[in-house]
């Protein structure tokens, strides 16, 4: 495990640095991330590099046993650069050029910016690549925005399209440009999706622009990663993702990195800790291995308004929350709030006065002490899951490019299923198009509009081999050109699900559509947003519509098809909250998956496993400030308190327990 802090020595007088390093060591820290916004401090004017301050900072930190992760500073171009080359500035959707004065105002496609990127990254890599006090690198900072529409992007988009389609006839066919007289006879005629401010651009063009911007971002990261690797000895390369950022395919980028990390700010979504859990699980999924939290919240935040400070015990619980989901490194953001700049009231481990009396310092120091004991148990463990959720940035883009699907929201539907799994306290894994599915018993594939031969075979194989797969409405309706299929819905997936769909409807008004009581719990379930009218062929009905015209016409709402050794379910509707809970608990039962322990709502249970001896660590986390009850089926020893618990027990407010199971 690594335990540390994000530090900005450039914001503080040098004579304070040793005190900081000493206090960090006392807090139990072993790692510090540095320099990710320090470009103007390293290169105040073009070509005049000054690493001496960074050398001194690294020296001081090393004297106190602290290892360093260095960030490349490209998220914050210095003024001399943008003054000399204003064409590196990004242009937003409303065609405004982003001016300097903040950060992230550059275009990832600017060749000029890429040249400067190469220089600063190589200079840093040459200087510190062999330095064994530096253990790893972070590329840039939270890539993925702004989506740019500048002239460089336009030119490169056209080149990208030429390469993809070869000739305009092919592009015209695959974009369906005959619609509204868009047939292009010259590549330069091709617009960007924001050129015409009226409603929707061509969905095929729009999807390609999203793919293009994603590839550009991935390429920009790779440019840095390759340069760093050239000089790096044993150092690894990571990026700090914001896993819910939609504008590039994070799985794709992760292929070029050694480690995935993310920035974990739970109070932003305090009402939905499930979403935070999903952030952890997604980041785990990017490389299917333990990750780091590169920025772990530990104080109030500068947002549109200041967010509340964590309550006593909350930072500790967040820390364990990260670890439970597979974090092997926890780096708190930030050491000490800066006295100036945009984030002057963004709290840190310390407060502005730098004293040990800061609540963050006190709490984190004691977490550090606990972790020293636990580290041996945690090291080498991974997260394993029998339940997977198929997550695709590209499928989401397909939905986004055709906004008339509204009110359906891809990510929200993923979260509806995720929340239900979360409540059942089972480990969940996010998988992508290229993931190996063989370890999974149950795979959920909410809303997958685009299908091709590859996905069709992949899912068919999974089910033939005994897997249980759940698909939903709006699946298989399109090809990867974003054109609607001319097959009967769900298109290529009809055979797998054993159904046909000839009618569907968004639900906006009464009469209400409800579903029969398929769980035998005396409930009926209201459809919200969408209804697919399923006609079963090889499949059987698991639940019919009970009221509304789909019921009058005798349509099925959920079908179940025995296929090979497994089962393929199709869920035709999006439902109210309890619907997902009951559906998912039934699916878990059917797939023979049980939840670990039952706790009251807001108690989360997660497992890490040691692949060498199958020993499991079971983490119990109370996300609320109130004590909550937990049912244990057996006798368990809490490694933190060295006490044994059995049967019905209580987890204190923001409490954490770690059990070891054979
Ligand atoms: C992001 C950035 C940090 C900082 C924090 C504030 O995650 O990476 O530099 O601005 O937000 O919460
Ligand atoms: Zn651009």
């Amino acid at each position: 495990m690594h335990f540390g802090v994000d530090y900005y020595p450039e914001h503080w007088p040098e004579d304070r640095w040793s005190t900081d390093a000493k206090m960090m060591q006392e807090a139990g820290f072993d790692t510090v991330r540095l320099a990710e916004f320090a470009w103007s401090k390293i290169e105040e004017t073009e070509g005049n590099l000054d690493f001496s301050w960074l050398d001194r900072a690294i020296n001081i930190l090393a004297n106190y046993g602290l290892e360093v992760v260095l960030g490349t500073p490209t998220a914050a171009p210095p003024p001399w650069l943008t003054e000399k080359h204003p064409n590196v500035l990004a242009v937003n959707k409303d065609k405004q050029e982003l001016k300097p004065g903040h950060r992230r105002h550059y275009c990832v496609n600017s060749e000029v910016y890429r040249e400067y990127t190469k220089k600063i990254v190589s200079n840093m890599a040459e200087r510190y690549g062999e330095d064994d006090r530096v253990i790893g690198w972070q590329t840039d900072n939270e890539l993925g925005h702004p989506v740019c529409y500048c002239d460089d992007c336009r030119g490169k988009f056209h080149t990208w399209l030429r390469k993809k389609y070869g000739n305009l006839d092919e592009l015209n066919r695959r974009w369906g440009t005959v619609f509204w007289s868009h047939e292009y006879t010259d590549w330069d005629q091709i617009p960007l999706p924001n050129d015409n401010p009226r409603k929707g651009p061509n969905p095929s063009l729009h999807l390609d622009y999203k793919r293009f911007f994603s590839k550009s971002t991935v390429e920009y990261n790779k440019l840095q990663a390759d340069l760093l690797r050239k000089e790096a000895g044993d150092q690894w390369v990571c990026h700090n993702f914001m896993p819910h950022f939609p504008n590039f395919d994070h799985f794709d980028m992760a292929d070029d990195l050694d480690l995935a990390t993310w920035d974990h700010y739970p109070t932003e979504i305090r009402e939905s800790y499930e979403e935070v859990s999903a952030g952890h699980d997604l980041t785990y999924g990017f490389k299917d291995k333990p990750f780091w939290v590169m920025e772990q919240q530990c104080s109030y935040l500068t947002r549109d308004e200041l967010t509340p400070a964590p309550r006593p015990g909350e930072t500790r619980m967040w820390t364990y929350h990260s670890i439970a989901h597979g974090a092997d490194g926890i780096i708190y953001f930030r050491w000490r709030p800066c006295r100036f700049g945009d984030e002057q009231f963004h709290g840190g481990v310390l407060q502005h006065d730098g004293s040990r009396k800061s609540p963050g310092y006190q709490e984190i120091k004691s977490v550090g002490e606990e972790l020293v004991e636990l580290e041996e148990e945690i090291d080498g463990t991974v997260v394993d899951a029998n339940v997977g959720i198929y997550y695709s940035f590209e499928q989401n883009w397909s939905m986004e490019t055709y906004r008339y699907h509204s009110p359906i929201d891809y990510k929200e539907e993923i979260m509806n299923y995720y929340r239900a799994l979360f409540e059942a306290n089972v480990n969940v894994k996010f998988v992508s198009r290229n993931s190996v599915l063989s370890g999974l018993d149950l795979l959920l594939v909410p809303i997958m509009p685009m299908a091709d031969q590859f996905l069709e075979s992949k899912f068919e194989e999974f089910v033939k081999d005994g897997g249980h797969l759940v698909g939903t409405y709006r699946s298989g309706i399109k090809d990867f050109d974003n054109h609607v299929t001319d097959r009967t819905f769900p298109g290529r997936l009809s055979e797998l699900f054993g159904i046909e769909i000839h009618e569907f409807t968004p639900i906006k008004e009464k009469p209400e559509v409800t579903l029969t009581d398929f769980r035998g719990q005396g409930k009926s379930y209201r459809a919200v947003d969408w209804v697919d009218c399923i006609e079963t062929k090889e499949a059987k009905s698991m639940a019919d519509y009970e009221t509304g015209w789909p019921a009058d016409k005798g349509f099925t709402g959920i079908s179940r098809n025995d296929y090979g050794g497994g089962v393929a379910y199709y869920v035709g509707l999006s439902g109210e909250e309890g619907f997902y809970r009951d559906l998912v608990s039934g699916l878990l039962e059917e797939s023979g998956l049980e939840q670990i322990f039952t706790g009251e709502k807001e108690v989360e249970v997660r497992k890490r496993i040691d692949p060498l001896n199958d020993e499991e660590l079971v983490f119990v986390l109370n996300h609320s400030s109130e004590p909550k009850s937990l049912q244990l089926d057996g006798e368990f020893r809490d490694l933190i308190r060295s006490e044994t618990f059995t049967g019905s027990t209580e987890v204190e407010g923001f409490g954490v327990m770690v059990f070891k199971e054979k």
Side-chain angles (χ1 to χ4, degrees):
M1 283 230 39
H2 286 261
F3 192 58
V5 71
D6 298 302
Y7 183 41
Y8 301 90
E10 66 274 24
H11 297 172
W12 300 96
E14 222 170 303
D15 58 11
R16 167 74 192 195
W17 294 358
S18 303
T19 310
D20 284 338
K22 183 164 180 287
M23 286 172 71
M24 288 176 194
Q25 187 187 45
E26 282 168 17
F29 291 153
D30 50 39
T31 309
V32 176
R33 183 192 64 176
L34 297 177
E36 86 281 12
F37 296 112
W39 195 338
S40 67
K41 181 76 185 169
I42 294 170
E43 193 177 6
E44 195 179 350
T45 53
E46 183 167 2
N48 295 315
L49 292 158
D50 175 14
F51 286 112
S52 61
W53 67 274
L54 192 53
D55 291 345
R56 292 195 295 278
I58 294 174
N59 268 332
I60 290 174
L61 293 165
N63 288 341
Y64 289 91
L66 294 149
E67 295 180 311
V68 168
V69 176
L70 279 181
T72 65
T74 47
W80 56 259
L81 198 166
T82 48
E83 181 189 38
K84 184 167 171 196
H85 301 285
N87 58 342
V88 307
L89 297 171
V91 173
N92 72 12
K93 196 155 185 277
D94 301 325
K95 306 216 162 187
Q96 289 160 330
E97 191 178 79
L98 301 190
K99 302 288 181 206
H102 199 73
R103 59 178 171 177
R104 300 222 61 75
H105 42 286
Y106 71 91
C107 167
V108 285
N109 274 316
S110 157
E111 278 310 317
V112 174
Y113 200 69
R114 287 187 180 193
E115 282 312 307
Y116 279 97
T117 297
K118 282 185 204 160
K119 278 191 219 156
I120 187 72
V121 172
S122 318
N123 279 322
M124 285 182 81
E126 278 158 26
R127 179 110 187 167
Y128 299 107
E130 294 292 335
D131 191 329
D132 53 17
R133 299 166 306 175
V134 177
I135 56 170
W137 295 89
Q138 173 190 299
T139 55
D140 202 281
N141 190 75
E142 295 183 352
L143 284 163
H145 65 106
V147 178
C148 183
Y149 303 86
C150 73
D151 289 343
D152 283 340
C153 285
R154 187 181 300 267
K156 282 195 175 178
F157 181 49
H158 290 164
T159 308
W160 186 83
L161 292 172
R162 274 176 199 252
K163 209 166 147 214
K164 176 167 178 181
Y165 294 103
N167 60 67
L168 282 168
D169 286 346
E170 177 73 0
L171 176 139
N172 282 319
R173 188 178 63 75
R174 289 177 56 191
W175 280 10
T177 53
V178 67
F179 186 79
W180 285 350
S181 204
H182 290 179
E183 284 164 292
Y184 302 111
T185 53
D186 191 321
W187 296 94
D188 289 341
Q189 294 164 355
I190 298 173
L192 299 193
N194 66 331
D195 275 353
N196 192 317
R198 306 190 71 173
K199 285 187 180 165
N202 174 326
S204 304
L205 176 156
H206 200 175
L207 177 58
D208 265 347
Y209 201 74
K210 284 176 180 283
R211 287 179 174 132
F212 161 75
F213 184 76
S214 176
K215 294 269 179 241
S216 307
T217 308
V218 168
E219 196 178 89
Y220 180 73
N221 175 73
K222 184 168 188 302
L223 177 156
Q224 298 207 10
D226 287 349
L227 290 171
L228 293 169
R229 285 223 179 78
K230 234 168 81 186
E231 306 297 333
D234 293 335
Q235 299 160 339
W236 40 257
V237 181
C238 78
H239 178 66
N240 57 336
F241 290 101
M242 288 301 273
H244 297 288
F245 276 5
N247 296 331
F248 69 97
D249 188 328
H250 298 41
F251 289 98
D252 230 3
M253 185 180 286
D255 287 345
D256 302 322
L257 300 167
D258 302 302
L259 174 73
T261 78
W262 83 292
D263 297 342
H264 174 210
Y265 291 99
T267 56
E268 278 196 288
I269 33 185
R270 199 198 280 263
E271 297 316 314
S272 171
Y273 41 84
E274 298 95 332
E275 210 148 310
V276 181
S277 295
H280 287 312
D281 289 347
L282 250 178
T283 309
Y284 196 103
F286 294 154
K287 289 210 71 76
D288 194 17
K289 65 175 197 187
F291 60 94
W292 280 30
V293 172
M294 196 52 98
E295 297 180 13
Q296 171 77 59
Q297 183 183 348
C298 61
S299 188
Y300 51 85
L301 312 177
T302 299
R303 290 297 184 260
D304 288 342
E305 296 172 350
L306 289 189
T307 70
R311 291 157 286 181
E314 210 170 2
T315 298
R316 170 176 179 267
M317 195 271 293
W318 290 336
T319 306
Y320 281 103
H321 186 207
S322 303
I323 297 171
H325 282 262
D328 273 359
I330 304 285
I331 309 295
Y332 294 94
F333 189 87
R334 49 192 286 149
W335 175 241
R336 182 174 172 182
C338 196
R339 295 177 50 221
F340 39 79
D342 189 60
E343 292 181 347
Q344 51 183 245
F345 271 103
H346 188 301
V349 175
L350 303 184
Q351 292 304 323
H352 295 86
D353 68 356
S355 105
R356 286 184 174 76
K357 280 197 170 169
S358 152
Y361 187 76
Q362 304 282 330
E363 187 162 318
I364 288 167
K365 187 165 183 285
S366 70
V367 176
E369 282 155 16
E370 277 175 12
L371 284 177
V372 171
E373 304 281 309
L374 281 176
E375 208 171 317
E376 212 177 299
E377 304 285 353
I378 295 167
D379 276 351
T381 61
V382 297
V383 173
D384 197 14
N386 302 104
V387 185
I389 297 183
Y390 182 72
Y391 192 98
S392 164
F393 290 89
E394 198 177 23
Q395 300 285 352
N396 182 31
W397 301 333
S398 168
M399 293 300 288
E400 282 180 347
T401 53
Y402 197 70
R403 69 210 149 72
Y404 305 103
H405 287 295
S406 138
I408 297 177
D409 182 326
Y410 176 80
K411 283 202 291 188
E412 201 29 54
E413 190 66 332
I414 296 259
M415 280 311 297
N416 285 334
Y417 282 93
Y418 184 87
R419 267 183 221 113
L421 289 164
F422 180 89
E423 277 187 38
N425 281 326
V426 293
N427 276 18
V428 180
K429 194 176 213 170
F430 282 103
V431 297
S432 70
R433 187 177 167 96
N434 297 323
S435 303
V436 177
L437 304 177
S438 53
L440 300 174
D441 296 316
L442 175 62
L443 175 62
L444 304 173
V445 189
I447 308 184
M448 195 189 72
M450 298 186 294
D452 59 5
Q453 179 67 56
F454 177 86
L455 288 173
E456 181 188 335
S457 313
K458 184 169 186 126
F459 294 145
E460 284 179 0
E461 287 308 310
F462 173 72
V463 180
K464 275 187 191 148
D465 289 348
H468 288 219
L469 182 138
V470 183
T472 77
Y473 63 94
R474 297 278 88 177
S475 290
I477 59 170
K478 287 188 158 190
D479 62 22
F480 272 74
D481 289 328
N482 224 4
H483 290 197
V484 180
T485 179
D486 55 6
R487 305 179 195 212
T488 299
F489 289 172
R492 287 177 168 278
L493 308 174
S494 296
E495 189 195 316
L496 173 63
F497 292 117
I499 58 169
E500 286 184 3
I501 291 161
H502 298 276
E503 296 183 51
F504 56 81
T505 181
I507 306 248
K508 288 218 162 103
E509 59 214 28
K510 292 187 174 184
E512 289 192 338
V513 178
T514 60
L515 198 68
T516 51
D517 178 20
F518 64 100
R519 294 280 284 144
Q521 295 176 342
K523 297 186 201 163
S524 74
Y525 302 91
R526 202 166 56 85
V528 284
D529 299 342
W530 198 269
V531 159
D532 267 0
C533 298
I534 302 174
E535 288 178 40
T536 52
K537 296 293 162 189
E538 292 76 26
K540 294 191 184 52
S541 170
M542 210 172 109
D544 288 332
Y545 290 112
E546 193 174 44
T547 56
W549 65 260
D552 300 340
K553 291 179 85 171
F555 288 121
T556 287
I558 307 175
S559 61
R560 183 207 142 98
N561 193 28
D562 291 310
Y563 188 85
V567 188
Y569 304 86
Y570 187 93
V571 183
L573 65 155
S574 58
E576 54 193 331
E577 198 198 332
F579 168 70
Y580 296 96
R581 192 181 308 127
D582 291 351
L583 175 66
V584 162
S585 66
L587 291 166
L588 290 171
E589 255 172 48
E590 273 222 42
S591 341
L593 298 167
E594 278 173 26
Q595 59 188 60
I596 315 166
F597 303 134
T598 31
E600 255 184 283
K601 197 168 160 37
E602 296 184 288
V603 175
E604 183 183 3
V605 185
R606 276 293 178 284
K607 281 201 267 190
R608 290 184 67 152
I609 185 166
D610 187 337
L612 297 179
N613 55 20
D614 280 351
E615 273 179 1
E616 289 179 344
L617 292 178
V618 184
F619 292 80
V620 177
L621 308 146
N622 181 357
H623 287 276
S624 93
S625 55
E626 301 298 319
K628 297 277 167 179
S629 69
L630 173 76
Q631 288 299 324
L632 297 172
D633 61 356
E635 201 178 78
F636 293 93
R637 193 171 169 71
D638 177 10
L639 298 177
I640 301 180
R641 277 181 289 183
S642 299
E643 265 179 64
T644 302
F645 295 87
T646 181
S648 176
T649 179
E650 193 181 81
V651 200
E652 64 196 357
F654 298 132
V656 178
M657 293 164 128
V658 185
F659 301 122
K660 190 164 174 175
E661 236 192 338
K662 260 273 184 209

